[in-house]
Amino acid sequence: MQAERVEPGTGGARFRALVVDDEPPLVQVVSGYLTREGFDVTTAGDGNAAVKSARDTEPDVIVLDLMLPGIDGVEVCRRIRTFSDAYIIMLTAKSDEVDKLVGLSVGADDYLTKPFSPRELVARVRAMLRRPRTAVAAPQPKTRRFGDLEIDVAGREVRVRGRVVELTRTEFDLLDALSAQPRVAFSRRQLLDHVWGGDWYGDDHVIDVHVGNLRRKLDDDAAHPRYIRTVRGVGYRMGPG
């Protein structure tokens, strides 16, 4: 049984971080900041070592560079997501939106473009770790249903036409927030606050990417959505199914 995680610096079990980059000076700086914040830090310099380290150390958060020797950060993220729900921040040296979108599409929670402030990175990591890792234990009278979509909040399970749909933690949390108040049109900022917390540093674009991933997995046509509707000038709300 794993030790219970607590906030770094409170004297209990420490959070674990994995820093993956092939630039030793950057690894040293990021690792130093995280260590001073109370994290146990492991590092890796290439994609294969990153996947192995993620299996061996079971980190709570992973700082993952997009461009790596061996297998790149996108494939590393894809592989890690098959066995870990660690929070993942993708680093990219490119400003091209495509790189950011690809990283998020395979399960990363956020991205930073190099050069970045290590303090901002640490702030994002701490904000992530303040998110609940499991659903809050609360009575659930019944499964939420929207047409063919069924959401078991307590069990964190989603089905479409009886088929189980595999969602990342972030995708499920977004769907949970929308379905809990189906008549409410949420702004992107409100969804960021619901899912990431009010002190989140990420931009609103993250919401659009994760909503796009949700629609794809739920087989929900963005042009004629049944489950997640776009509210022009506002954000998103649940549809009837």
Side-chain angles (χ1 to χ4, degrees):
M1 180 179 296
Q2 291 185 358
E4 180 182 0
R5 295 287 190 271
V6 297
E7 185 75 10
T10 60
R14 291 153 64 95
F15 283 119
R16 290 190 287 259
L18 171 60
V19 179
V20 185
D21 201 292
D22 62 341
E23 300 178 34
L26 185 145
V27 171
Q28 184 176 4
V29 170
V30 172
S31 297
Y33 269 84
L34 290 172
T35 299
R36 286 192 291 274
E37 286 292 315
F39 290 83
D40 286 329
V41 181
T42 304
T43 66
D46 63 71
N48 288 305
V51 175
K52 183 179 186 304
S53 184
R55 285 187 182 277
D56 293 344
T57 66
E58 298 182 357
D60 299 286
V61 62
I62 301 172
V63 180
L64 176 62
D65 189 32
L66 180 67
M67 301 302 294
L68 292 169
I71 56 176
D72 65 17
V74 171
E75 182 59 23
V76 170
C77 186
R78 194 192 318 275
R79 294 186 188 184
I80 289 175
R81 273 291 172 255
T82 65
F83 61 84
S84 172
D85 67 347
Y87 298 102
I88 297 177
I89 297 181
M90 189 79 77
L91 304 180
T92 173
K94 302 178 181 179
S95 59
D96 191 342
E97 286 293 311
V98 173
D99 294 302
K100 302 169 185 177
L101 300 184
V102 169
L104 292 173
S105 71
V106 294
D109 295 286
D110 193 25
Y111 61 82
L112 277 173
T113 301
K114 297 178 182 179
F116 58 87
S117 163
R119 291 183 183 275
E120 179 182 354
L121 173 63
V122 170
R124 293 197 188 195
V125 167
R126 293 178 68 87
M128 282 180 172
L129 292 172
R130 280 192 285 271
R131 290 170 54 189
R133 294 181 69 83
T134 59
V136 176
Q140 295 293 330
K142 59 182 180 179
T143 299
R144 298 173 189 164
R145 289 184 173 83
F146 301 86
D148 293 329
L149 172 64
E150 301 179 1
I151 307 167
D152 178 359
V153 178
R156 293 182 72 84
E157 184 175 84
V158 174
R159 293 176 179 268
V160 174
R161 293 182 291 278
R163 174 181 58 86
V164 175
V165 179
E166 297 294 336
L167 301 180
T168 66
R169 177 184 45 242
T170 298
E171 291 162 359
F172 184 91
D173 290 347
L174 272 174
L175 187 60
D176 181 25
L178 289 165
S179 64
Q181 301 182 71
R183 296 183 179 275
V184 175
F186 290 89
S187 69
R188 291 168 178 79
R189 183 70 252 178
Q190 287 174 317
L191 288 171
L192 282 172
D193 291 346
H194 270 278
V195 177
W196 282 268
D199 52 358
W200 182 249
Y201 282 74
D203 60 52
D204 292 356
H205 192 61
V206 173
I207 294 293
D208 298 330
V209 176
H210 287 298
V211 167
N213 291 339
L214 263 176
R215 283 174 168 163
R216 176 176 53 81
K217 291 183 177 182
L218 299 177
D219 194 23
D220 196 19
D221 183 359
H224 304 284
R226 294 168 292 163
Y227 307 129
I228 303 177
R229 290 186 171 177
T230 300
V231 181
R232 292 188 179 277
V234 180
Y236 301 98
R237 61 163 293 177
M238 286 299 294

